[in-house]
């Protein structure tokens, strides 16, 4: 293999503090563990941290996970009265399913585990896979999804809204209820009540830069502000001239208070978080104006939090989060907690911890019938035993396209697609070693490497893609046109098992589906024709995404602004299919 050495890459010229741009997360986690040994402890998985001090009695384990770059979220809320463990992703990318599963394992104390996370496609996919695996191991896991961002979808479509800083109040409520000795159902109900009564909106004043990219992947012109911006730079509801603090406060309150709605006589929590580069003094200026508006409207602030609680690297701006209280939520917000990101000293008598009811081990695993591979054995074609060069060629292709894929992604996404893909494929290259196995085993190694090494949505999607592709090879010693078509069917089945994207949505399905159909149409002409047809259709499908408007995923927030550029997933899928076709064609011609 001639895999590109990541150490040979040029270091971005930024006024930032880092060693390796590709390992900034690992270096930061090491720093957190060294700085806070009284709060955090490492686990066998370097992307999972847990509470240093365990509970003195059996309790429900409370966990979360999310992308890095939002510090102190997510690991900063691991501690007494909050979270028992957190899974850690790459910058702005979901943790892997393997990391979520390990967090569930270390948090399980026999009373079940509550997984409280944000409403993002990658997190949802990886949590779903982890919960399925946890059930197989007898760990009972329930989940609550945060969707407090009022700007990310209309009120009537609230299920599509993102989770932002309101997640902190959800963790606070769930963690406190767990410390009180509540059952898993009690903890999940408290977390759900918390997020149902919470609304947030962000205002961005400047873009942010992922260090490994070296440049911002979106712009905010000087003198303007993006109202409703997401924590990854997702577009908001409008761009308007920058105004004074009191006008910003009124605008944010108008969006948030009307949505629940909040009314005179309500008691609330107000959490005002900077986005990373906003001076604390300015946050307090803004909070004073928010407090004035609340008073005008007859709303009493019972609990207030001001600071950098949920950031976005070095973005300037702020997020306003408001929670409507009842007696239970008021009690849970007052409960003592000690973590890096939030510490509360109890101001009322706290009863001794009560042991949570034990929960029966999961007896019925959530096993999905994802693939229904047709059993077919080819009588001739490429011997499967001669295919050991195929996956190494694919590793080299993806690693070599790292910067190109990230550049494409940066136009309508986070700009991290190539970075994360390269990491996962490099992991596969290391696992393959100097003597790579034939295609079936190598595809499974690749699948496992991506599921364990890539967060966000691409890890589970491509993990299932390659796992499905490997299945037909278990039934044959040769690869002919029909076997290759069945491999593509397995890849498509794997993708469809995790999402509902289809042709026209500006995703990798715009590449994959036409390629699968073209392969089957050419099967009768033999393997050479099927490989060529697959490659041509994949390229045509990739290029079709230029004229599409994204309807799925993060880019869908851009609307018409997503038109005119390639989709990164469709581009990487095309590269994968073309590389596979070329590698098999070379073996066939030998």
């Amino acid at each position: 293999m001639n895999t590109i050495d990541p150490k040979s890459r040029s270091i971005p010229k930024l006024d930032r503090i880092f060693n390796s741009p590709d390992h900034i997360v690992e270096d930061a986690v090491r720093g957190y563990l060294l700085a806070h040994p009284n709060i955090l402890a490492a686990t066998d998985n370097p992307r999972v941290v847990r509470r240093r001090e365990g509970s003195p009695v059996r309790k429900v384990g409370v966990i979360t996970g999310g992308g890095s770059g939002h510090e102190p979220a997510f690991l900063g809320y691991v501690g007494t009265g909050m979270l028992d463990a957190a899974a850690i992703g790459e910058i702005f990318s979901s943790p892997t399913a393997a990391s979520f599963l390990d967090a569930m394992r270390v948090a399980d104390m026999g009373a079940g585990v509550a997984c409280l996370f944000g409403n993002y496609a990658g997190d949802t996919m990886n949590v779903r896979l982890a919960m399925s695996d946890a059930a197989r191991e007898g760990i009972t896991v329930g989940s609550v999804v945060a969707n407090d961002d009022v700007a990310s979808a209309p009120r009537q479509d609230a299920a599509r809204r993102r989770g932002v800083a309101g997640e902190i109040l959800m963790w606070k409520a769930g963690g406190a209820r767990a410390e009180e000795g509540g059952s898993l159902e009690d903890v999940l109900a408290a977390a759900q009540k918390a997020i149902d009564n919470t609304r947030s909106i962000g205002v961005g004043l400047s873009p942010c830069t992922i260090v490994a990219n070296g440049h911002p992947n979106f712009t905010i012109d000087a003198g303007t502000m993006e109202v409703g911006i997401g924590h990854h730079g997702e577009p908001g509801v409008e761009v308007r001239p920058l105004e004074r603090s009191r006008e910003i406060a009124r605008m944010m309150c108008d969006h948030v208070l009307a949505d629940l709605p909040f009314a005179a006589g309500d008691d609330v929590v107000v959490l005002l978080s900077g986005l990373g580069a906003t001076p604390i003094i300015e946050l307090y200026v803004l909070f004073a104006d928010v407090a004035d508006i609340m008073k005008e409207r007859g709303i009493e602030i019972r609990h207030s939090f001001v600071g950098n609680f949920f950031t976005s690297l070095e973005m300037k701006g702020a997020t306003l989060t408001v929670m409507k209280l009842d007696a239970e939520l008021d009690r849970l917000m007052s409960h003592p907690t000690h973590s890096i990101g939030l510490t509360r000293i109890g101001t009322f008598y706290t009863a001794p911890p009560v042991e949570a009811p034990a929960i029966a081990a999961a007896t019925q695993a959530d096993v999905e019938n994802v693939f229904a591979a047709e059993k077919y054995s080819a009588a001739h074609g490429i011997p499967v035993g001669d295919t050991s060069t195929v996956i190494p060629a694919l590793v080299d292709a993806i690693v070599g396209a790292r910067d190109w894929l990230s550049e494409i992604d940066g136009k309508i996404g986070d700009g991290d697609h190539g970075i994360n893909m390269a990491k996962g494929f490099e992991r596969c290259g290391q696992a393959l070693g100097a003597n790579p196995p034939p295609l079936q085993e190598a595809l499974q190694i690749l699948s496992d490497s991506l599921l364990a090494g890539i967060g966000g949505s691409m890890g589970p999607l491509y993990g299932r893609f390659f796992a499905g592709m490997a299945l037909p090879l278990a039934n044959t010693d040769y690869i002919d046109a029909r076997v290759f078509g069945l491999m593509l069917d397995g890849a498509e089945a794997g993708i469809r098992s995790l999402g509902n994207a289809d042709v026209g949505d500006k995703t990798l399905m715009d590449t994959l589906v036409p390629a699968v159909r073209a392969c089957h149409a050419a099967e009768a002409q033999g393997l050479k024709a099927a490989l060529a047809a697959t490659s041509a259709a994949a390229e045509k499908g990739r290029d079709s995404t230029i004229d599409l408007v994204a309807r799925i995923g993060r880019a869908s927030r851009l609307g018409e602004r997503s038109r005119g550029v390639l989709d990164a997933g469709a581009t990487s899928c095309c590269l994968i299919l073309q590389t596979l076709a070329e590698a098999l064609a070379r073996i066939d011609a030998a």
Side-chain angles (χ1 to χ4, degrees), residues 277-548:
T278 305
I280 297 296
I281 189 172
E282 295 178 19
L283 292 177
Y284 277 99
V285 171
L286 183 59
F287 178 80
D289 292 321
V290 169
D292 289 343
I293 294 166
M294 294 292 180
K295 185 175 181 180
E296 285 175 14
R297 301 190 186 184
I299 297 172
E300 181 178 351
I301 301 176
R302 289 269 299 159
H303 306 274
S304 55
F305 304 97
V306 182
N308 287 317
F309 296 105
F310 202 119
T311 63
S312 186
L313 295 174
E314 85 284 22
M315 192 189 299
K316 291 182 180 178
T319 298
L320 172 65
T321 298
V322 184
M323 172 195 278
K324 183 177 179 179
L325 292 171
D326 64 5
E328 180 186 27
L329 289 175
D330 188 29
R331 182 185 82 247
L332 297 176
M333 291 301 107
S334 300
H335 196 281
T337 185
H338 181 49
S339 65
I340 297 167
L342 183 65
T343 293
R344 298 222 81 183
I345 304 300
T347 56
F348 63 100
Y349 172 72
T350 301
V354 176
E355 195 162 71
I359 194 165
T363 57
Q364 183 176 1
D366 176 23
V367 181
E368 301 169 77
N369 183 18
V370 177
F371 313 111
E374 178 182 341
K375 295 189 183 302
Y376 166 75
S377 179
H380 54 79
I382 298 173
V384 175
D386 293 346
T387 57
S388 60
T389 59
V390 174
I391 298 306
L394 188 54
V395 170
D396 285 346
I398 293 296
V399 174
R402 172 188 183 275
D403 294 340
W404 177 54
L405 291 173
S406 288
E407 181 182 353
I408 291 170
D409 187 42
K411 294 177 180 178
I412 56 173
D414 289 341
D416 61 354
H417 184 65
I419 297 168
N420 291 339
M421 290 285 284
K423 258 195 169 179
F425 277 76
E426 284 173 345
R427 185 185 183 113
C428 173
Q430 293 165 1
L432 291 173
N435 297 299
L439 192 53
Q440 182 192 4
E441 184 180 348
L443 282 168
Q444 193 56 57
I445 291 172
L446 178 54
S447 173
D448 294 342
S449 297
L450 299 183
L451 285 168
I454 300 182
S457 59
M458 287 297 105
L461 286 173
Y462 275 131
R464 283 279 176 90
F465 177 104
F466 290 113
M469 187 173 276
L471 285 181
L473 296 175
N475 305 310
T476 184
D477 293 326
Y478 297 93
I479 300 173
D480 63 4
R482 187 176 176 192
V483 170
F484 187 67
L486 291 174
M487 291 169 63
L488 295 184
D489 286 341
E492 182 179 347
I495 296 293
R496 292 192 185 278
S497 73
L498 289 175
N500 57 1
D502 214 327
V503 175
D505 290 334
K506 200 179 180 91
T507 70
L508 66 82
M509 295 298 274
D510 290 294
T511 293
L512 178 59
V513 174
V516 174
R517 304 300 176 263
C519 178
H520 286 308
E523 274 182 22
Q525 302 171 48
L527 180 58
K528 181 177 180 180
L531 294 173
T534 299
S535 183
E539 185 168 331
K540 185 176 180 181
R542 177 201 67 191
D543 293 345
S544 73
T545 63
I546 294 175
D547 297 323
L548 295 176

